[in-house]
Amino acid sequence: MSRLDSFIRRLTAQRDILNHVEADLDIPAGGPVMEIGLGNGRTFNHLRELFPDRRIVAFDRAMGAHASSVPDDKDLVIGEIAETAQAYLGVDASLVHADIGTGYPEKDAVTLTWLPQLVAGMLTRGGVAVSGLPLEHKTLNPLPVPSSVPTDRYFLYRKI
Ligand SMILES: C[S@@+](CC[C@H](N)C(=O)[O-])C[C@H]1O[C@@H](n2cnc3c(N)ncnc32)[C@H](O)[C@@H]1O
């Protein structure tokens, strides 16, 4: 599969799962949404459309978002996520989305030494995690993804 095809599949899977969360899954009321890996801000922009009444906190090592998709200063956390996000453990998030896979297995393996605990620690009970990397954690229960999403392309969990 070409990298273009793989990119399109990743973004389609991401959008389809986020839409599914909004339409079909009850996520806990009131809690914030965490966007781990702001990037260009396309997903942040989509999350704002899906969850207009939620606070959305976005993390990245640098601000590279399109001008239309920049979080408020108070909701933008710049720096290495493994460090900056520690301050958000226990924030009782309703939804965490993480899109920080690189396509380099050795780099992703390092990310996976800290990402599952971080996501689990941010979520409230019953909260939902959506991730481009698989998250193995005893409190993150895998949920089925929409049929449009290829197996193991993008992942969905609920915190128990
Ligand atoms: C694939 S992009 C996210 C794309 C985003 N979903 C969008 O709509 O544009 C991943 C982003 O996460 C950031 N990132 C990845 N790992 C990080 C880390 N450990 N700490 C801080 N930022 C990180 C990168 O700088 C990059 O901007």
Side-chain angles (χ1 to χ4, degrees):
M1 180 187 303
S2 74
R3 289 188 55 225
L4 178 62
D5 284 333
S6 174
F7 177 72
I8 290 167
R9 274 163 52 119
R10 178 170 67 84
L11 295 195
T12 302
Q14 182 188 113
R15 181 205 55 197
D16 289 358
I17 293 182
L18 291 173
N19 288 352
H20 167 60
V21 170
E22 191 279 331
D24 305 318
L25 300 186
D26 281 332
I27 63 171
V33 174
M34 300 284 134
E35 168 65 332
I36 298 184
L38 174 65
N40 179 277
R42 292 186 181 96
T43 313
F44 172 76
N45 188 272
H46 196 69
L47 287 167
R48 266 199 320 211
E49 282 193 13
L50 290 179
F51 303 102
D53 300 327
R54 303 265 179 171
R55 180 183 181 202
I56 305 176
V57 181
F59 300 80
D60 209 301
R61 56 172 58 99
M63 219 306 285
H66 185 271
S68 65
S69 307
V70 178
D72 293 342
D73 280 353
K74 68 176 179 17
D75 295 330
L76 176 61
V77 184
I78 297 296
E80 284 302 308
I81 293 165
E83 295 160 18
T84 60
Q86 297 298 321
Y88 292 80
L89 294 174
V91 73
D92 283 341
S94 298
L95 172 64
V96 176
H97 171 242
D99 179 18
I100 56 171
T102 63
Y104 293 99
E106 66 283 6
K107 289 186 183 176
D108 292 344
V110 174
T111 299
L112 287 173
T113 62
W114 53 264
L115 185 63
Q117 300 91 292
L118 189 72
V119 171
M122 286 176 157
L123 282 170
T124 193
R125 198 165 168 194
V128 166
V130 178
S131 174
L133 294 174
L135 303 177
E136 283 189 25
H137 191 273
K138 61 182 185 303
T139 68
L140 296 177
N141 190 28
L143 295 179
V145 297
S147 57
S148 59
V149 176
T151 304
D152 291 346
R153 175 63 276 193
Y154 227 82
F155 302 89
L156 179 61
Y157 305 89
R158 194 184 287 276
K159 184 171 175 182
I160 54 176

